[in-house]
Amino acid sequence: MSTTKTVAFHTLGCKLNYSETSTLSRMLQGSGFVQKEFDETADVYVINTCSVTENADKECRQLVRRIQRRAPESFVVITGCYAQLKPKEIAEIEGVHLVLGAAEKFNIAKHLEDLTRGDSARICSCDIEDVSGFHASYSHAQRTRTFLKVQDGCDYNCSFCTIPLARGHSRSDSIENVLAKVQEIAGQDVKEIVLTGINLGDFGKGYDGGKRREENFFDLIQALDETEGIERYRISSIEPNLLSEEIISFVAQSKRFMPHFHVPLQSGSNKVLADMRRRYRRELYAERVAQIKAAMPHAAIGVDVIVGFPGETDELFQETFRFLHELDVSYFHVFTYSERDNTLAVEMPGIVPMHIRNERNKILRNLSLQKLNYFTAGFTDTNRKVLWESADKNGLMEGYTDNYIKVQSPYRADTVNTITDWTIR
């Protein structure tokens, strides 16, 4: 496929996927490809998939059909979590030429060289148990903020989740390699790095020369805080049982880590948490929130929560609602439970009708908006440091304070990618 010169990407799912797509793009550009926008005609289309929700699967199929209508002579490559979980199913989608599993996605350039028209869809995958390597990646869609992957995979087995099946065991980069990547990113005039991973607090698992590394997440953030070149860091998401008092205290006095935590909860009911096979109870979660607020009253705290899990009765949902209502947090990401093959939850009794799941999602999203408005109002007429984004949105530009409050200002090109003092109104 040596004559192919243009490639377009589309990413479904999490920030980790976006960081990996960015890296795949740079790899192919280094092999002579010119990147196109996804809505343009290209020789190759790469769809990096998610499989956390049923909608991601459906969207993948819709994207393939759209490509067929626009560019029927193009090659279509599917990679990501959906590709690892259901490669044969994807290979049967008309218009798909290549399916790359978790172990092969970063060998995409070589696979494209070997691709010829007329072949049936090729599957390049393996048993997820055989996936052991770590591939560093970072996003670079805009120079203001970058998502840097430092950890991958998960050793937890939550009953609703397919990610261990799609990404394999927990493993991570070395601190030495992360610091090298940070210097590479800093050379591109990036002001903020968001550390990402599947189970970020599990950082340190990985093998050098067959030996387990003696590093952990606390070691990593200490090292980053002492490294010149990047002004701000954020922790994308960290499990409550891995968010130690040590980490909280460190962020509170850090030079570079922002007062902003995103901590998955999933349910405010201990019964549902047990059914989900989460590794904590709501009392621990409340304790972590209280510790953050005691050390940093100004900190933003985001919450992941799932509604409509099997067995979540109205009473148990109300437990979650009351727990979140009383919790001193800033906003929620609300997910509607969807059945996934090869998970324990799909066999559980007490299926919640979809219209009730959707109602509960709306209730919590409304509560989240109230929480966010209350949190933001608490900083009216105060000054915070804002990093300004590059997008011009109808003459306005947006930025985020250190504690993750979004603000707007009339667009000024000379302010893009700068950190300024700003009075919140």
Side-chain angles (χ1 to χ4, degrees), residues 266-284:
Q266 311 308 11
S267 177
S269 159
N270 279 341
K271 181 188 183 306
V272 176
L273 287 174
D275 289 343
M276 289 178 167
R277 298 185 67 173
R278 300 292 285 164
R279 298 195 178 194
Y280 55 87
R281 294 295 174 261
R282 69 185 217 159
E283 289 77 14
L284 174 73

Side-chain angles (χ1 to χ4, degrees), residues 297-363:
H298 55 289
I301 304 175
V303 183
D304 285 341
V305 60
I306 296 171
V307 296
F309 189 79
E312 185 189 61
T313 61
D314 287 340
E315 292 75 17
L316 294 178
F317 172 71
Q318 285 303 318
E319 273 191 47
T320 293
F321 180 88
R322 288 192 297 270
F323 182 70
L324 287 169
H325 188 273
E326 295 167 7
L327 210 57
D328 192 4
V329 294
S330 313
Y331 63 90
F332 318 146
H333 289 167
V334 187
F335 300 90
T336 301
Y337 171 76
S338 62
E339 287 77 1
R340 313 308 294 150
D341 291 341
N342 301 312
T343 60
L344 291 172
V346 78
E347 304 293 338
M348 289 182 176
I351 295 171
V352 179
M354 188 56 72
H355 73 278
I356 294 178
R357 298 184 209 183
N358 292 335
E359 285 173 9
R360 292 175 183 174
N361 184 299
K362 185 176 180 179
I363 289 167

Side-chain angles (χ1 to χ4, degrees), residues 394-412:
N394 299 317
L396 295 175
M397 63 194 308
E398 295 177 344
Y400 285 91
T401 65
D402 55 340
N403 60 342
Y404 209 59
I405 295 172
K406 184 193 287 187
V407 297
Q408 286 187 323
S409 171
Y411 185 85
R412 284 179 49 190

